[in-house]
Amino acid sequence: MEIASGPSTDSSAARTIPIDSSSILDEFKQQNLPACKPVLKPSYVITTFFLLGFIFLPIGLTTLCASRTVVEIVDRYDSECVPGAFRGNKVSFIKDSSLPKNCSRILKVRKHMKAPIYIYYQLDNYYQNHRRYVKSRSDQQLLHGLKSSNTGSCEPEESNNGLPVVPCGLIAWSLFNDTYTLIRGTKKLSINRKNIAWKSDRDRKFGKQVYPHNFQNGTLIGGGKLDPNIPLSDQEDLIVWMRTAAFPSFRKLYGRIEEDLKADDVIVVHLMNNYNTYSFGGKKKLVLSTSSWLGGRNDFLGVAYISVGGSSIILSIVFLLFHIKIPR
Amino acid sequence: MMNSMNVPSKRSTLERKLDKLILALFGTLFMMCLIGAIGSGIFINQKYYYLGLDKGVAAEFNPSNRFVVTALTFFTLITLYSTVIPISLYVSIEMIKFIQSTQFINKDLHMYHAETNTPALARTSNLNEELGQVEYIFSDKTGTLTRNLMEFFKCSIGGEVYGSGVTEIEKGAAQRNGIKIQELRKSATAIQEKGFNFDDHRLMRGAWRNEPNSDTCKEFFRCLAICHTVLPEGDESPEKITYQAASPDEAALVTAAKNFGFFFYRRTHTMIHVRESCVEKMGKIQDVAYEILNVLEFNSTRKRQSVVCRYPNGRLVLYCKGADTVIYERLASGNDDLKKVNRAHLEQFGSAGLRTLCLAYRDLSPETYESWNEKFIQAKSSLRGRETKLDEVAELIEKDLILIGSTAIEDKLQEGVPACIETLSRAGIKVWVLTGDQMGTAINIAYACNLINNEMKQFIISSETDAIREVENRGDQVEIACFIKEEVKKQLKKCLEEAQHYLHSAPGPKLTLVIDGKCLMYALDPTLRVMLLNLSLNCTSVVCCRVSPLQKAQVTSMVKKGARKITLSIGDGANDVSMIQAAHIGIGISGLEGMQAVMASDFAIAQFRYLTDLLLVHGRWSYLRICKVIAYFFYKNLTFTLTQFWFTFQTGFSGQRFYDDWFQSLYNVIFTALPVIIVGLFDKDVSASLSKRYPELYKEGIRDAFFKWRVVVTWACFSVYQSLVFYHFAITSSASGKNSSGRMLGQWDISTMAFTCVVITVNLRLLMICNSITRWHYISVGGSILAWFMFIFVYSVLRENVFFVIYVLMSTFYFYLTVLLVPIVALFGDFIYLGIQRWFFPYDYQIVQEIHRHELDDNTSAGSLEVGRQRTAQEEGNPLPREISRHTGFAFDSPGFESFFAAQLGIYAPQKAWDVARRASMKSKPKMPQRN
């Protein structure tokens, strides 16, 4: 073995070998890419937490305020609206179409409610997100009507008496059909039931030329009926209903009152208690709510922001104390 | 081939552990599915009339047969939760490892040997991270640690040390003590020649004549020129001649004599011709023929060799060279000063890792010689026990010797070997030397490599004891086997007890074990194996000498299987192949001795010292990166799937998807794929130079600190937390209207929202595990998040179920507030954990990071690896051995010496098995008779 003269000149010699002169490739191969090395020092931790708190607390307060300006009236009526005689067997009451389903509720407005006031119905223990339920619709049919034969997913509400159903599927079949009439004093409050669905749904998901056909004609009636003379794109109840909820407890928009309700107003609600939630023990609620820029009343976001912000500040102080007491 | 083994397929330990993790994930998947399936069986009920369960229902929802519902839902849920199994992980890891090995290891300039134009070569890409966890290195000696090149380096003549060179080990010691050694410039007199690396103006070019002890010098040189068994070959001129010697030591000594002006150029049966210059007068050259009367051969018991010669003027001299122990026993009384000084020099040479020989002579009177010669001839012609008799006769004349001095030969180590070994040992790696060489040679190299020093307690288990030899001479194979086995057992037991004693007495000395092949054969017996393992694991270094290639493999697998530690074998020759294959990682030295080792290896490097880079830099980084990649994959898939799992509880256990199919499919492929690969390629905790400067960092890999179950559980906990955050925020968002128009969000809006949060969070979490963030990190992380938005912008226009969801969402303030809040809440826990962990329970690398936080990450300076660490009190002190060293570095390697010399003289002497082995190994043919 021949020994080269002198000690290692390895690194300098190696530099001269023609490997790859392209610098970025070279940096890559030699693993020498420029990099910043964030080191999570205590001071950084403290500062980060402090900044976090500093930013989050105001956001939290604003959001909470927004949420708190919202006035909300919630009235559960499912059990109250069953006549005393049927309390023991609510299901037979709701299934008996010969019985009158009307019912009256009295709501008291505690705080001034500014228009628009939104009317929601809220269902609990209702699994609109069940796999069988979610897939039981045909978006093609909703858009193109009878032209679309792609309705296999609509099982078991695909056809009736050999004729296709429009809109098909369990979702449409189980359309919510309680109705509400609100009266303040002696005057009926007009409820605007237009424009309650998302515009994109109305315009692009439900056909303007698609009319209900052969709907709810079966032996089993699931829910509401539709006026066969109004195209689906204008059946906003249906459109709202068919934007299925993610969780078994959900609200859906029913309509809007476009005048203010003053504090201590008494509102009488005449409602038709048609919809069957009694079979599975679901609740029904009527909700009147105003809205802020953030939407309905929901303190959670504000509280979350405030608690994150607050705990960040506390943590930053605790860490700061640690840092001063036992510096590394 | 007896030494060949089946070629095993190698998988890294980390990957095996990953398999376990995957199994655990399968278990988790099974549990999740089981819970969901049972739930669905309980849930399904005709009372939910809106599900249309009363007429002609498919079996999977038919309430009348809940068992079938459970079973079918189980399978539905498997497809739903299958994301918990990170299938793409294997692909990603393969990709990362491939790039790591082909681009990083193969192209690293620090592992490029310019002189031979050899870069490092990763021959397999699936062991990269294993390099970061090695605890035991098994190294071959010749060609790996050493260059198999003996150089005359220093000498001590008449109590004076000559030679100005500094050995690697001295350099290392000096560096450790912070002393700067000035490399003396080679003077003009220096001669560059193979086997000669000596420079001292007092001796060269005849200058020795002016030394006060010039007569001793003359004897010294004559002894070198005469007392040997070398054959000259080629032209009889100093430049062209080559020496054929049984061992490179001999050649080095004769070469040295040549350079001192005593040029041995011809050998006949009875004569040695030496061309002597500057003996009588400066510049004068004369040819002198010495008559060789007797040669007393070298063997491992005698440990010396003598020549009786007659000068042309009739002077009768016996020249003798050998181990200091045997020479000193035979010295004439008196002249104690010289003996003392010379012994001190021997110790000095020994501790510098040099191989020493003592030279002595004796003037004989013709009468003494004649009477002795008769006995000698008698012994030589005896038919029985000739060797013993010859030895006995030799004893008669080899006495009353006069000490001349001693030589020091450097068994030239590969460049940087001691420093490399020292670094490795600081990294917690134990280096074992497995060599076919003799014990003395092996120990000497171990000293030279810093594996053994005089502070260490040595356990030597050798078959070269009188008792064993006695039994061997009787020749009964069965008896020999039994006896050696008993002997080995006794010794092992004794050593083990002693070792235990030392271990309990803190701070005990470090322990080393030296064992030879014959003993090893019995010690590897299943009954003794445990004892051997216990003993050797307690030792910081182990030297196995005279081992066969198969034994090398056996020792390797003993540690691999018995101790369950990660092993690495490094060798250069064909005799190392089985060891290379047996270890977890096999490394071949590419270059000189054939290609067999390289072909069998997993990595090939040009020099032993590149192990530092390969293990401490590439291995450690790879380990760190792969651990991160695995942990992160585990985390991101678990988080994603758990969100889905919680949702199942709210859907009547029906197995409804929370996310759209495409979201779910593309989650692993696009939205979270690239950044983790970037981490797998670019993450660096500390720079390469710091990795080498603080080898202790490597211990984290040996302890497997980054892929313990504890680490996995921590990640899992944060996964659960984060998934709950995503899920809870999704629930609350469904409670009320989300903008001033009072409209409500539907299922797909909420899932899109949650998915956005998951993608952002998971990508940001990745940035939190990075130790270094290049612009590629930003690009990939930003790109992934952006890709999600691009995707959903397009996709939500095309698909019906998620139609326009993103635009609906983006028309609400709520969306922006949530996207800001959720990732921060989700990462809050991780952030606190990381902060506290770094603050109060930092990893070693984090400490180093902070010490060197302000330094530029300059890899180029790593080339001049400087060892400037703080010395602990223990390490301070004398570079020389504190107590009187027993090690003086005698090693005289004469493979097949007797037979070699005999063959020259036309005498037949049977070759010994070990000689054959040695020859075989030198010829790179792993042929070796099996000895039983």
Side-chain angles (χ1 to χ4, degrees):
Chain A
M1 175 176 167
E2 229 28 67
I3 307 144
S5 57
S8 163
T9 50
D10 178 62
S11 62
S12 59
R15 296 269 159 236
T16 60
I17 57 157
I19 290 196
D20 223 315
S21 51
S22 156
S23 76
I24 182 132
L25 256 181
D26 208 32
E27 277 176 347
F28 167 68
K29 286 170 188 167
Q30 300 305 318
Q31 308 197 53
N32 242 344
L33 288 169
C36 79
K37 293 178 281 178
V39 168
L40 205 57
K41 285 201 315 173
S43 53
Y44 290 167
V45 176
I46 293 165
T47 325
T48 313
F49 275 130
F50 188 76
L51 279 177
L52 206 60
F54 195 73
I55 297 166
F56 269 34
L57 277 178
I59 299 180
L61 287 172
T62 326
T63 352
L64 196 60
C65 282
S67 163
R68 283 291 162 94
T69 57
V70 172
V71 185
E72 201 177 78
I73 302 168
V74 181
D75 180 54
R76 178 179 170 185
Y77 64 87
D78 56 306
S79 48
E80 305 296 321
C81 283
V82 177
F86 290 97
R87 287 280 159 88
N89 191 356
K90 295 170 187 163
V91 179
S92 67
F93 164 77
I94 203 78
K95 280 189 171 167
D96 191 342
S97 53
S98 62
L99 291 171
K101 300 286 170 27
N102 58 331
C103 171
S104 294
R105 306 285 303 160
I106 295 166
L107 307 178
K108 201 167 172 224
V109 181
R110 254 170 268 136
K111 268 168 95 178
H112 184 85
M113 292 171 87
K114 241 179 119 229
I117 297 156
Y118 297 99
I119 303 169
Y120 298 95
Y121 53 90
Q122 179 172 341
L123 300 180
D124 286 327
N125 198 23
Y126 193 103
Y127 289 88
Q128 264 207 319
N129 57 8
H130 195 278
R131 184 154 60 98
R132 184 173 168 82
Y133 191 80
V134 169
K135 73 177 178 194
S136 183
R137 65 189 284 162
S138 167
D139 285 307
Q140 285 299 313
Q141 194 204 47
L142 292 175
L143 194 56
H144 304 296
L146 286 167
K147 277 177 275 175
S148 161
S149 55
N150 185 16
T151 54
S153 60
C154 286
E155 272 294 319
E157 297 298 329
E158 185 188 358
S159 61
N160 195 11
N161 303 328
L163 291 169
V165 175
V166 182
C168 70
L170 285 171
I171 308 179
W173 177 74
S174 60
L175 174 65
F176 186 75
N177 60 352
D178 284 7
T179 56
Y180 312 99
T181 322
L182 275 64
I183 295 162
R184 178 170 58 175
T186 53
K187 205 173 136 255
K188 195 174 158 192
L189 290 168
S190 71
I191 299 174
N192 183 354
R193 303 205 52 201
K194 287 282 146 207
N195 205 10
I196 54 175
W198 296 98
K199 192 166 179 301
S200 56
D201 282 4
R202 268 181 291 150
D203 292 351
R204 311 277 293 275
K205 281 188 89 166
F206 292 80
K208 291 194 169 55
Q209 304 300 325
V210 182
Y211 295 89
H213 176 259
N214 197 22
F215 185 68
Q216 296 292 31
N217 279 347
T219 44
L220 267 170
I221 308 294
K225 302 193 170 167
L226 296 172
D227 185 343
N229 299 316
I230 302 172
L232 289 185
S233 59
D234 289 340
Q235 307 263 14
E236 294 206 35
D237 275 339
L238 179 74
I239 298 174
V240 166
W241 180 252
M242 289 197 76
R243 199 175 184 103
T244 49
F247 297 101
S249 168
F250 59 89
R251 283 178 187 180
K252 284 190 181 288
L253 190 55
Y254 179 80
R256 260 191 322 275
I257 307 171
E258 273 153 352
E259 52 191 293
D260 288 6
L261 297 180
K262 292 171 200 77
D264 298 329
D265 274 358
V266 173
I267 293 164
V268 180
V269 184
H270 292 297
L271 55 86
M272 296 300 289
N273 184 18
N274 294 323
Y275 201 70
N276 177 12
T277 58
Y278 302 102
S279 298
F280 50 89
K283 294 175 206 160
K284 290 197 277 192
K285 288 173 187 164
L286 174 67
V287 181
L288 299 184
S289 170
T290 59
S291 181
S292 68
W293 56 270
L294 195 60
R297 185 174 179 115
N298 193 351
D299 290 351
F300 179 78
L301 209 54
V303 171
Y305 265 104
I306 289 173
S307 48
V308 170
S311 46
S312 306
I313 298 267
I314 292 167
L315 276 173
S316 78
I317 290 167
V318 169
F319 280 2
L320 190 65
L321 287 179
F322 262 117
H323 194 45
I324 293 164
K325 277 271 161 89
I326 23 173
R328 310 216 323 215
Chain B
M1 299 260 276
M2 281 176 185
N3 287 311
S4 66
M5 299 164 68
N6 289 333
V7 180
S9 77
K10 291 184 183 177
R11 290 190 73 212
S12 75
T13 327
L14 201 66
E15 263 182 32
R16 281 167 218 268
K17 205 164 171 188
L18 174 61
D19 293 346
K20 282 185 205 153
L21 178 65
I22 301 288
L23 271 184
L25 282 176
F26 268 110
T28 316
L29 174 66
F30 181 79
M31 286 310 295
M32 281 160 62
C33 292
L34 197 66
I35 291 169
I38 291 172
S40 75
I42 294 168
F43 175 86
I44 205 77
N45 194 319
Q46 227 154 33
K47 70 184 180 183
Y48 299 101
Y49 69 91
Y50 54 89
L51 301 177
L53 298 174
D54 41 5
K55 47 175 183 182
V57 187
E60 61 174 325
F61 294 118
N62 195 342
S64 55
N65 195 344
R66 286 166 190 273
F67 181 75
V68 175
V69 173
T70 307
L72 291 173
T73 311
F74 185 83
F75 291 110
T76 310
L77 290 178
I78 286 181
T79 60
L80 196 61
Y81 299 149
S82 61
T83 43
V84 82
I85 310 294
I87 298 164
S88 53
L89 171 63
Y90 281 98
V91 182
S92 306
I93 286 187
E94 284 306 315
M95 216 151 93
I96 290 166
K97 284 185 181 176
F98 177 74
I99 296 178
Q100 278 178 350
S101 53
T102 55
Q103 297 302 315
F104 296 160
I105 293 180
N106 290 1
K107 303 268 168 74
D108 190 351
L109 288 177
H110 291 110
M111 294 197 292
Y112 172 75
H113 196 235
E115 283 132 52
T116 55
N117 189 21
T118 333
L121 175 69
R123 298 186 71 251
T124 168
S125 66
N126 53 9
L127 293 173
N128 292 348
E129 74 276 6
E130 194 97 325
L131 288 173
Q133 295 185 279
V134 173
E135 191 167 355
Y136 287 90
I137 292 180
F138 300 95
S139 173
D140 178 38
K141 185 196 81 86
T142 317
T144 307
L145 295 176
T146 67
R147 311 186 196 197
N148 200 20
L149 191 70
M150 304 298 168
E151 287 188 337
F152 189 87
F153 198 70
K154 280 188 178 185
C155 59
S156 160
I157 306 171
E160 191 72 33
V161 176
Y162 297 96
S164 58
V166 181
T167 58
E168 289 276 352
I169 190 170
E170 283 174 317
K171 280 180 202 161
Q175 257 173 349
R176 253 170 287 143
N177 293 297
I179 303 166
K180 192 90 178 151
I181 291 188
Q182 281 178 332
E183 187 81 45
L184 285 173
R185 288 204 42 157
K186 302 266 178 199
S187 60
T189 53
I191 293 169
Q192 281 294 332
E193 192 181 350
K194 183 184 169 186
F196 191 71
N197 180 17
F198 178 89
D199 182 30
D200 198 316
H201 60 91
R202 291 174 294 175
L203 294 185
M204 303 302 288
R205 292 175 186 260
W208 54 270
R209 294 184 73 250
N210 303 328
E211 286 294 296
N213 50 3
S214 60
D215 285 343
T216 324
C217 286
K218 197 156 57 185
E219 291 300 340
F220 185 88
F221 300 143
R222 282 207 174 114
C223 180
L224 290 184
I226 296 170
C227 179
H228 57 74
T229 56
V230 174
L231 289 176
E233 246 178 33
D235 227 16
E236 286 178 2
S237 73
E239 292 79 27
K240 290 196 181 143
I241 200 156
T242 50
Y243 291 121
Q244 286 300 318
S247 81
D249 297 71
E250 289 238 280
L253 290 176
V254 179
T255 311
K258 175 179 85 180
N259 286 310
F260 290 127
F262 289 78
F263 172 41
F264 158 66
Y265 65 95
R266 189 185 300 158
R267 179 196 279 277
T268 62
H269 278 309
T270 52
M271 305 293 271
I272 278 185
H273 298 265
V274 178
R275 187 168 297 153
E276 297 182 351
S277 47
C278 317
V279 177
E280 309 298 326
K281 222 172 89 183
M282 282 305 261
K284 195 183 167 214
I285 293 173
Q286 63 184 77
D287 288 357
V288 188
Y290 297 93
E291 188 184 351
I292 303 298
L293 300 173
N294 303 88
V295 175
L296 304 173
E297 290 174 10
F298 182 92
N299 66 32
S300 53
T301 25
R302 281 164 43 76
K303 291 185 186 167
R304 63 189 181 273
Q305 126 185 70
S306 306
V307 165
V308 182
C309 70
R310 182 181 290 143
Y311 277 43
N313 61 11
R315 181 187 172 202
L316 270 175
V317 189
L318 171 102
Y319 284 115
C320 180
K321 70 178 177 196
D324 54 320
T325 44
V326 288
I327 300 285
Y328 267 67
E329 282 168 15
R330 291 169 179 79
L331 288 182
S333 53
N335 210 355
D336 287 338
D337 280 350
L338 176 64
K339 289 181 194 167
K340 217 165 136 191
V341 171
N342 193 61
R343 181 172 284 285
H345 291 164
L346 283 168
E347 280 164 14
Q348 187 190 327
F349 294 154
S351 67
L354 300 169
R355 303 150 69 96
T356 58
L357 284 176
C358 275
L359 307 187
Y361 75 99
R362 181 186 175 192
D363 277 314
L364 299 171
S365 64
E367 301 80 47
T368 328
Y369 174 71
E370 285 308 328
S371 64
W372 174 79
N373 196 29
E374 275 172 34
K375 291 179 201 155
F376 180 73
I377 291 166
Q378 222 168 35
K380 210 171 171 182
S381 54
S382 68
L383 294 171
R384 299 187 61 199
R386 180 168 55 197
E387 279 177 33
T388 339
K389 280 183 185 157
L390 278 174
D391 286 1
E392 278 163 15
V393 173
E395 289 286 341
L396 297 176
I397 199 158
E398 286 169 328
K399 61 181 185 186
D400 297 330
L401 302 174
I402 297 162
L403 185 66
I404 311 172
S406 51
T407 60
I409 289 176
E410 187 179 22
D411 185 359
K412 196 82 169 151
L413 291 175
Q414 301 265 8
E415 203 176 286
V417 164
C420 172
I421 286 184
E422 208 236 325
T423 312
L424 292 178
S425 74
R426 272 171 61 203
I429 302 170
K430 293 168 188 102
V431 180
W432 292 23
V433 176
L434 311 179
T435 173
D437 289 349
Q438 294 195 7
M439 188 170 273
T441 319
I443 292 178
N444 192 267
I445 285 299
Y447 265 89
C449 297
N450 255 345
L451 281 173
I452 305 181
N453 60 40
N454 287 321
E455 276 105 275
M456 287 180 167
K457 168 74 192 153
Q458 290 177 27
F459 298 115
I460 298 182
I461 299 177
S462 165
S463 57
E464 300 276 310
T465 59
D466 294 335
I468 291 176
R469 208 171 287 133
E470 199 176 299
V471 178
E472 269 179 335
N473 286 344
R474 274 181 248 150
D476 181 355
Q477 291 299 331
V478 181
E479 194 194 348
I480 294 172
C482 288
F483 185 79
I484 298 183
K485 190 169 174 184
E486 272 311 303
E487 197 71 1
V488 168
K489 189 173 175 183
K490 234 180 343 191
Q491 288 209 40
L492 274 177
K493 206 169 209 168
K494 200 185 84 197
C495 293
L496 195 58
E497 274 164 16
E498 236 177 295
Q500 235 106 50
H501 168 74
Y502 279 113
L503 284 181
H504 290 309
S505 65
K510 289 184 174 175
L511 311 174
T512 64
L513 172 68
V514 181
I515 187 166
D516 76 357
K518 213 182 280 179
C519 294
L520 196 61
M521 192 166 76
Y522 296 100
L524 282 172
D525 189 273
T527 49
L528 298 182
R529 186 177 282 219
V530 179
M531 243 199 273
L532 176 68
L533 191 64
N534 274 340
L535 177 62
S536 49
L537 292 187
N538 286 328
C539 294
T540 42
S541 52
V542 175
V543 178
C544 303
C545 31
R546 297 231 147 197
V547 290
S548 69
L550 191 63
Q551 279 179 325
K552 288 182 179 183
Q554 281 173 339
V555 172
T556 310
S557 12
M558 176 182 79
V559 175
K560 180 181 171 184
K561 303 220 173 85
R564 295 186 174 283
K565 308 280 188 191
I566 314 249
T567 53
L568 179 149
S569 291
I570 177 166
D572 68 324
N575 54 346
D576 307 315
V577 167
S578 51
M579 157 170 102
I580 284 173
Q581 286 175 345
H584 286 101
I585 308 166
I587 295 193
I589 299 284
S590 52
L592 306 169
E593 208 185 319
M595 285 300 283
Q596 285 103 322
V598 173
M599 297 312 283
S601 68
D602 304 304
F603 296 90
I605 50 178
Q607 293 271 304
F608 184 83
R609 68 169 188 276
Y610 294 155
L611 266 189
T612 327
D613 277 279
L614 191 64
L615 296 184
L616 300 192
V617 180
H618 289 283
R620 210 174 64 81
W621 279 350
S622 284
Y623 167 70
L624 206 75
R625 288 165 180 169
I626 300 288
C627 284
K628 276 188 177 171
V629 169
I630 291 174
Y632 179 75
F633 254 100
F634 166 74
Y635 147 81
K636 87 179 161 86
N637 283 19
L638 190 63
T639 309
F640 182 70
T641 313
L642 279 178
T643 327
Q644 171 73 65
F645 180 61
W646 307 135
F647 182 67
T648 305
F649 285 86
Q650 297 278 9
T651 63
F653 301 98
S654 59
Q656 171 59 33
R657 290 178 184 280
F658 188 38
Y659 307 109
D660 183 77
D661 306 11
W662 281 72
F663 297 2
Q664 185 159 349
S665 317
L666 295 181
Y667 176 74
N668 273 326
V669 183
I670 295 181
F671 307 136
T672 58
L674 193 60
V676 69
I677 291 177
I678 295 286
V679 168
L681 292 180
F682 295 135
D683 196 53
K684 286 197 280 189
D685 53 349
V686 295
S687 67
S689 52
L690 288 179
S691 300
K692 286 184 273 185
R693 190 160 149 195
Y694 297 94
E696 291 83 1
L697 292 178
Y698 190 81
K699 288 180 183 162
E700 286 172 337
I702 296 178
R703 287 198 304 267
D704 205 3
F706 301 119
F707 198 55
K708 282 185 178 155
W709 287 108
R710 195 167 56 82
V711 177
V712 175
V713 168
T714 313
W715 275 101
C717 288
F718 284 115
S719 269
V720 173
Y721 164 74
Q722 294 190 3
S723 66
L724 282 172
V725 168
F726 299 134
Y727 179 68
H728 193 67
F729 276 73
I731 287 189
T732 52
S733 58
S734 73
S736 66
K738 287 298 161 252
N739 73 0
S740 51
S741 72
R743 297 185 184 104
M744 297 297 298
L745 296 176
Q747 175 186 355
W748 298 114
D749 307 282
I750 285 161
S751 82
T752 307
M753 160 98 220
F755 193 80
T756 310
C757 293
V758 171
V759 168
I760 292 175
T761 308
V762 160
N763 275 303
L764 289 181
R765 182 67 182 88
L766 183 99
L767 284 184
M768 287 170 70
I769 62 172
C770 293
N771 283 310
S772 61
I773 301 180
T774 65
R775 82 181 83 122
W776 301 104
H777 287 81
Y778 293 122
I779 291 173
S780 63
V781 167
S784 294
I785 296 174
L786 206 66
W788 156 243
F789 280 106
M790 305 284 280
F791 167 77
I792 188 65
F793 284 156
V794 175
Y795 184 72
S796 66
V797 174
L798 302 175
R799 266 293 276 259
E800 286 128 351
N801 62 341
V802 293
F803 188 73
F804 254 63
V805 285
I806 191 69
Y807 302 103
V808 166
L809 279 172
M810 289 179 90
S811 67
T812 64
F813 282 110
Y814 162 79
F815 174 74
Y816 303 101
L817 283 176
T818 312
V819 166
L820 174 65
L821 178 67
V822 171
I824 286 178
V825 174
L827 296 177
F828 204 69
D830 299 70
F831 190 76
I832 295 175
Y833 171 77
L834 289 180
I836 288 178
Q837 182 267 322
R838 179 179 273 274
W839 196 344
F840 298 107
F841 317 99
Y843 285 114
D844 298 346
Y845 78 86
Q846 292 173 327
I847 296 171
V848 174
Q849 271 178 348
E850 293 192 25
I851 295 172
H852 298 276
R853 205 160 51 80
H854 300 292
E855 288 172 15
L856 278 174
D857 184 6
D858 187 12
N859 207 5
T860 50
S861 70
S864 59
L865 166 70
E866 42 175 339
V867 187
R869 71 197 168 97
Q870 302 86 335
R871 287 177 297 141
T872 61
Q874 213 181 4
E875 287 160 342
E876 276 182 71
N878 201 332
L880 288 172
R882 269 174 244 165
E883 53 188 300
I884 288 299
S885 152
R886 280 183 297 128
H887 177 72
T888 51
F890 162 72
F892 190 72
D893 210 7
S894 65
F897 185 90
E898 296 97 328
S899 46
F900 172 82
F901 192 68
Q904 303 299 324
L905 296 171
I907 299 168
Y908 171 74
Q911 285 196 324
K912 297 213 171 120
W914 288 113
D915 302 333
V916 177
R918 164 78 190 180
R919 289 271 168 89
S921 81
M922 286 176 86
K923 273 187 255 162
S924 351
K925 279 190 199 131
K927 233 189 262 173
M928 237 228 41
Q930 189 89 0
R931 288 164 59 92
N932 285 315

